[in-house]
Amino acid sequence: MTRRPSAKIAAYVGVAALTLLAGLSLGRPELVAVAAPLAVLVVAGLAGARDPEVDAEVRVDRERALVGDQVTVSLDLRAATRVERLELLLVVPPGMAGPDGGPGGSRLAPRRAGGGPGGSRLAPRRAGGGTRTWAVAVSLAAGEERTLDVPVTCHRWGAYWLGDVHLRAHDRFRLFTWERHLDGHAPLKVFPVPDALRALVSPFETQVSTGSHVAASRGDGIEFADLRPFLPGDRPRSINWRATARRGTLMVNQRHPERATDVVLFLDSFLDVRGAAGSTLDQAVGAAASLASAYLRQRDRVGLVSFGGFVQWLQPGSGQAALYRLLDTLMETQVFATAAWKGIRHLPPRTLPAKALIVALTPLVDERGVAALFDLLARGYDLAVVDISPLTPAAPAGGGEWGELAQRLWALERETLRHRYQRLGAAVVEWTEATTLQQVLLEVEACRRHAGLAPG
Amino acid sequence: MPAPRRARTRLSCGLAATAVAAGLAAAPLAAVPGRLRPALAWLAALGLVLAAAAALRLGSLLGPALVVLVAEHAVVAVRAGARVDAAAPLVGAGLLLYAELASWAREANPRVRDERAVLTTRAAVVAASTLAAVVVGALVLLAAALPAGEGLARLAVGVVATTATLALVAVVARPTATRAPPG
């Protein structure tokens, strides 16, 4: 621990020295009597000051939580020597909150490095707000062990490191302080709560594995597709006796098989536009988690491409393990500022399987993300674009008349861009703050049906 | 303890320190008659302002506040002539009490929740220090009254005490020792 003298020790010693000198020169014992207590207190403090021996550890009661959950951060303290006053300051990263009305609530300067959606995250990210702290002062007897539990509420998704603790010990007379910083490593991943989605975007083509989507092709299934004349090898149970009676020749039913599909969630993470309603990246990550959960529930394979300054991908997979892998990858999604041009060719080919449905979640603000979507369309992928609008129609544009004009121009540009995608065959729907993800998905589906892209 | 109560702790310590300082500043005025009183009143006012500022806002003014308050009492002591002021131990204890309360007010961070045991111990230490200060001051005055300590011997004791205090200044002012945290 680093020892520091307090400010008052200098004041006490200085005043005592001056007063003693004055008493000596003036020959007044009263001045010595006035100065003596200050000097004696400093001497007593110096004689009694011992480096405190305190050990501290930080634990979190779990490693995974959902947004809105409360987790308990435990500070285990062990003192080998008596500590008169020990201040503990736990840094609560942005996106999390300490106990209500508790000692927390002090706002430090926003931290850039190591910040989660701001603060101490596994991956550095642009700080969205200030770092909050929770602090308490305790006294410990020699050999005492104590555990302090701090309830922390998770307000935002992300991967966090909890355990940034500052310790400050004081001696009996508060003449010295000893400080130490613990950079603990208690990881916590906070997942967004997935929306309950009743309807999803149906793929244009399906894969060969069995699933929940009615395929456009014909084969064994439930949904009736067509009639055809009987051929050798057809199963007798497929014969449609009514049609056979009408036509005078054996006719069999053809059906649509139920197939699974590959869905790739394409997350544009080049830029994060933050507004009063939230951030576009938050919306995109929440939507991706909801979509992944919903598609995996119906036995589809889901992959992820986080396309930004830092490109991450996951090949399509199915099952609970794939969901956790995908959520873990989503938690590390971040805006990484770079001017380097990124294209689809940077992705491994297996990341974007043929016939896969690509659901793009993008604010359509970065040229590289926009170009990548055009590239995907040119390569013939089945693409649905959810345009997470950074525009807030309810909020007035800053900058007065010119600001309003600029906002209108921007809105027109975005509309033109959406029309360009639609002309190339992609379904594009703007997701404004007034609509839910489910509404947006229904609109995408309607748009695809209208354009003749989706089955049904 | 909720934050407003912690803020109250800070405020009450600051106000108590200011009250003690007011008492210390006002006491010499009664002992000094005549033309010196207005000048001493100005000095008292300055001391009070500095003391209040140190207790309530600017902790760095603690030293100057103590110096001004001591200077006021030094004037009274010099004017007293051969008579020794028997209230000097109380003044010393008062100064210590003021300084401790002012420091406590500066320490009491509303963001930090102090356990009750910490507050109780702190209050006990301040009270005990004040009582000990009275005893120490009284002992000093008693030692000064001893007949054995006349002339050169008393001067030698004073020089030694002052030198020791200055040595203490040097000890305190040395660079802080830093030890790497274990592990």
Side-chain angles (χ1 to χ4, degrees):
Chain A
M1 286 184 128
T2 306
R3 190 177 86 162
R4 294 180 204 283
S6 68
K8 79 175 182 183
I9 194 169
Y12 282 18
V13 172
V15 171
L18 277 175
T19 312
L20 283 176
L21 277 173
L24 192 65
S25 56
L26 297 171
R28 303 304 307 182
E30 298 98 321
L31 294 181
V32 180
V34 166
L38 296 174
V40 168
L41 188 126
V42 173
V43 170
L46 281 174
R50 297 278 180 277
D51 285 357
E53 292 177 24
V54 182
D55 198 12
E57 276 181 26
V58 183
R59 289 180 289 118
V60 185
D61 62 343
R62 59 185 122 159
E63 291 187 353
R64 289 189 168 93
L66 290 174
V67 169
D69 280 1
Q70 197 174 67
V71 297
T72 303
V73 181
S74 300
L75 301 167
D76 295 327
L77 302 170
R78 280 181 299 280
T81 57
R82 177 168 177 75
V83 185
E84 294 294 334
R85 184 172 186 262
L86 179 68
E87 272 180 37
L88 294 117
L89 187 143
L90 173 71
V91 178
V92 181
M96 307 190 96
D100 286 341
S106 60
R107 190 171 278 276
L108 302 180
R111 284 156 46 119
R112 228 184 132 74
S120 32
R121 272 195 64 183
L122 295 174
R125 191 174 172 280
R126 207 169 41 174
T131 307
R132 298 184 73 83
T133 57
W134 182 92
V136 68
V138 297
S139 65
L140 296 171
E144 184 179 346
E145 293 187 9
R146 197 189 294 194
T147 300
L148 300 172
D149 291 331
V150 186
V152 174
T153 309
C154 310
H155 286 312
R156 192 175 187 270
W157 61 271
Y160 299 92
W161 282 120
L162 291 168
D164 191 0
V165 177
H166 296 264
L167 302 176
R168 182 185 292 154
H170 297 266
D171 64 334
R172 178 168 298 164
F173 298 107
R174 308 293 192 268
L175 295 176
F176 294 99
T177 58
W178 289 264
E179 291 182 358
R180 186 175 156 195
H181 177 226
L182 287 179
D183 200 2
H185 294 288
L188 175 69
K189 288 191 173 177
V190 181
F191 299 122
V193 181
D195 291 342
L197 299 174
R198 286 176 289 112
L200 295 168
V201 179
S202 302
F204 182 52
E205 290 181 284
T206 52
Q207 306 292 330
V208 290
S209 54
T210 305
S212 308
H213 299 281
V214 178
S217 60
R218 286 157 194 187
D220 285 339
I222 297 171
E223 288 286 326
F224 176 77
D226 203 356
L227 288 171
R228 66 165 172 77
F230 182 84
L231 292 173
D234 281 342
R235 284 180 292 189
R237 62 181 292 188
S238 302
I239 296 172
N240 187 325
W241 293 108
R242 288 191 178 186
T244 300
R246 267 200 308 272
R247 299 195 183 184
T249 177
L250 278 174
M251 300 296 288
V252 292
N253 287 333
Q254 284 187 301
R255 298 181 187 278
H256 291 297
E258 283 75 38
R259 296 278 186 250
T261 188
D262 284 351
V263 179
V264 177
L265 302 171
F266 188 92
L267 210 70
D268 179 354
S269 58
F270 278 109
L271 283 174
D272 181 17
V273 185
R274 287 172 183 267
S279 95
T280 55
L281 189 66
D282 281 1
Q283 267 184 286
V285 168
S290 303
L291 286 168
S293 171
Y295 275 114
L296 286 169
R297 234 184 351 259
Q298 52 184 35
R299 288 182 293 174
D300 291 325
R301 297 198 313 158
V302 180
L304 174 73
V305 173
S306 176
F307 198 67
F310 186 63
V311 180
Q312 288 177 296
W313 61 83
L314 269 182
Q315 288 181 13
S318 57
Q320 203 69 9
L323 178 62
Y324 279 113
R325 250 196 327 268
L326 200 137
L327 289 175
D328 279 352
T329 311
L330 271 179
M331 290 310 96
E332 289 169 23
T333 302
Q334 55 186 302
V335 174
F336 185 79
T338 173
W341 185 264
K342 298 278 171 69
I344 293 299
R345 67 177 188 282
H346 288 96
L347 296 173
R350 292 182 66 184
T351 311
L352 299 169
K355 300 182 184 176
L357 165 66
I358 299 178
V359 180
L361 300 157
T362 169
L364 290 179
V365 287
D366 192 276
E367 200 183 336
R368 291 164 291 187
V370 171
L373 296 182
F374 279 120
D375 201 353
L376 287 171
L377 279 172
R379 289 169 191 231
Y381 282 104
D382 181 13
L383 180 67
V385 180
V386 176
D387 169 16
I388 303 169
S389 177
L391 292 169
T392 47
E401 191 183 346
W402 287 102
E404 197 179 327
L405 194 60
Q407 186 164 336
R408 281 170 57 195
L409 276 173
W410 190 22
L412 277 173
E413 271 183 20
R414 295 174 59 78
E415 203 173 326
T416 310
L417 188 59
R418 285 197 292 273
H419 282 145
R420 283 175 63 198
Y421 281 126
Q422 281 166 350
R423 274 205 305 274
L424 291 170
V428 189
V429 172
E430 188 180 20
W431 185 8
T432 58
E433 62 182 79
T435 51
T436 62
L437 179 61
Q438 182 62 81
Q439 288 171 309
V440 170
L441 294 179
L442 288 171
E443 208 175 327
V444 168
E445 190 64 8
C447 187
R448 283 160 68 83
R449 280 188 185 150
H450 180 70
L453 291 171
Chain B
M1 193 176 5
R5 266 175 66 189
R6 293 196 297 275
R8 273 212 302 272
T9 304
R10 181 177 199 160
L11 186 65
S12 53
C13 281
L15 290 177
T18 309
V20 172
L24 286 169
L29 295 177
V32 177
R35 285 178 301 171
L36 197 60
R37 186 177 275 186
L40 207 62
W42 279 108
L43 197 62
L46 174 66
L48 185 58
V49 168
L50 285 173
L56 298 171
R57 194 82 186 166
L58 302 165
S60 56
L61 290 179
L62 180 63
L66 288 174
V67 167
V68 172
L69 291 174
V70 168
E72 213 185 332
H73 286 277
V75 170
V76 176
V78 170
R79 294 250 329 154
R83 189 172 54 85
V84 173
D85 184 7
L90 291 179
V91 174
L95 278 177
L96 187 70
L97 180 62
Y98 158 72
E100 286 295 304
L101 286 174
S103 303
W104 193 354
R106 302 310 307 153
E107 279 169 24
N109 191 335
R111 297 165 188 165
V112 182
R113 178 174 62 90
D114 275 281
E115 279 189 338
R116 185 170 291 277
V118 175
L119 294 174
T120 313
T121 311
R122 178 79 172 125
V125 167
V126 170
S129 303
T130 309
L131 286 177
V134 175
V135 174
V136 168
L139 286 176
V140 168
L141 287 190
L142 279 176
L146 286 178
E150 287 295 329
L152 192 65
R154 186 182 292 182
L155 185 66
V157 170
V159 168
V160 168
T162 310
T163 311
T165 311
L166 291 174
L168 201 60
V169 175
V171 168
V172 170
R174 79 186 195 279
T176 56
T178 302
R179 208 176 69 178

